[in-house]
Amino acid sequence: MLKFAALCLLLAPVLHVAAAAADEAEPFTHPPALEADVRFWIRVYTEVTTDQGLLHDDWDLKLVYEVLRFDPASSPAQRERRVAEAKTRYSVLLRRFAAGDTSDLTAHERRILHAFGEKATPRDYLDAIERIRFQLGQADRFHEGLIRAAAWETHIARVLKQHGVPEEIAALPHVESSFNPFAYSKVGAAGLWQFMPSTAKRFMRVDGIVDERLDPYSATEAAANLMLYNYRLLGTWPLAVTAYNHGPGGLRSAQDELGTSDIAVIVKRYQGKTFGFASRNFYVAFLAALEVDRNAEKYFGPFARLPDTENTPVQLPDYIAIGALAKAFKVDMGALKVLNPALRPPIWSGSRLVPRGYALRLPGAQSEAEITAALARVPPSQRYLAQRNDGAHRVRRGETLAGIAAASGMSLPRLNAANGWNTGHPIARGDVVRIPLPPTRAEVAGEAPAAAALAENAAEAGATQPPPAATEPAATESERAPAAAAPAAPPPREPVSARQTQSAALLPAGPPTGSSDTTDYGVGPGDTVVVQVAETLGHFADWSHVDSQELRQLNKLHKDAGVRVGRKIKLDLSKVSAADFVAARREYHHHLQEEFFAAHRIAGTETYVVKHGESLWTIAQQRNDMPVWLVAQYNPDVNFNDVRPGTQITLPRVEGINRQ
């Protein structure tokens, strides 16, 4: 790696986690080796707007070749051409330096030459050509984020304190979304904290009816829990922040490979395949955002902030149409939309009901008496016992009428009656079952509402037409044939305009590269694997397309012997490649976790001291809905086969999620 001189061109002008966080007076270090990188991002966030950008070296951020300025009216294509031309121009210059041609240089070109230092070699100049990168400025967006941030500062501070997470984490949404709760990235991250769906589903509800990533309140709780998880696995807050982008598994690999938890060493020396520019710069960008947030007027002068809007969450006792709720609480529908961004379009169109148990936010302070009175204004005929559905269901393999009835929130006789069937009517895969509207409180009480009342319900929901009767076959969205797989997307290009960055993080475009599952599913030397939770010899046989008896013989296992977690097993990979084996193994675990988090979420953690006679297996079994693999993920350094009394472990607190 070439060494740059100090003078460069255009220089940039967290045991129990809660207790650990409280004990760390300075949880976020500022290593001298990273200071220049922090200054670079401060410059991006405060001096350079989205009509400008820095052409720079992507490894040594002290080296900035040029500040490019664009006509505000220029198109993305025009800007991309400007950037490409500038990269070509400096590539030619660096090739001149490599060839030893330093004659007739302008003052600007001489400064670039001197920035490389006297000991630079031709190889250094040629290598630098591949590192020329463009970074769009973000100063105007950061300023807008500072204005917006005040609306949630009080809540974020309270949640972080309650969870024992350092208060500095409150600045992270500046890096992720510029405090835009409606932000979407091209790779699927969403909301104030830019959660990817797979990670978000561990901590909150994400589906076509409710997406809590878009609710700053729910998403902040999730972000705090994710940070605690990262800190538990990695041991330092700088690494926990970096894992927010790169995933804790990658950072544990970096710790193991380099033998250190020093963030500066890892940032400068770790060469993981997916540890690219965004991951390397995530911590320094966070430090820069924290500095600017704490000294906003120093960088931007006085400015007005949005008020912290007072609101009251009301947990709903039934499924109710949004229109009926707006009428009962005497609230404008627009105000409800602003306060409840997690509710998806089917709720607002009236094709779905606001779910039972959802905490609907209302403007202003609402007393308990006012809430009770308002809910009483929703008549029983407008209170449903289950979610409104599409009106039809195509039978899947293994389904029964009783199961379909239960999932639809109704009795089997009601479902049979709606379809004109007698008890015991046979169904087969592919048959279409008509699903009537779910029963209301009035119907359960024997007060069947008149047709006029049903029509009123649909009108209150804001629907343009009543829910479909679905008398002809129709598949629901989840049952339709999947679309053909899209071709692999090319690597994301560097954004060159505000239009291209308005829904992305302030950091360079690119998906978070890590997973919350830190388990190593790879094949080790000698075609061996380490047995993980929920794996059997039969799984290994299936994934490698061999008979399990062959694996028993290969590993000298008795015919009735099982395999213990942590044991090393020799594989026979004569019929599949190691890559295919790993892919099948990962898919199995991914399915286990996806299925669990479709109905559960992690609401926090607790520290547990193992008692005499207990194991991680028995501890998990004592807790409903606690899979052993989840306990293992929170305690990756605990030996499952030798958990001794007095050992402290971390247990996630699991809650069920109503997905209807």
Side-chain angles (χ1 to χ4, degrees), residues 72 79 91 108 122 206 266 277 375 466 520 574 608 625-626:
R79 294 182 178 207
S91 295
H108 177 72
V206 179
I266 288 174
F277 185 85
L375 286 173
D520 182 4
S574 60
Y608 183 82
D625 297 331
M626 179 74 75

Side-chain angles (χ1 to χ4, degrees), residues 256-274:
D256 292 343
E257 181 179 313
L258 300 177
T260 183
S261 293
D262 187 315
I263 185 63
V265 173
I266 288 174
V267 165
K268 293 300 183 182
R269 291 178 51 194
Y270 183 51
Q271 299 291 321
K273 289 188 295 185
T274 60

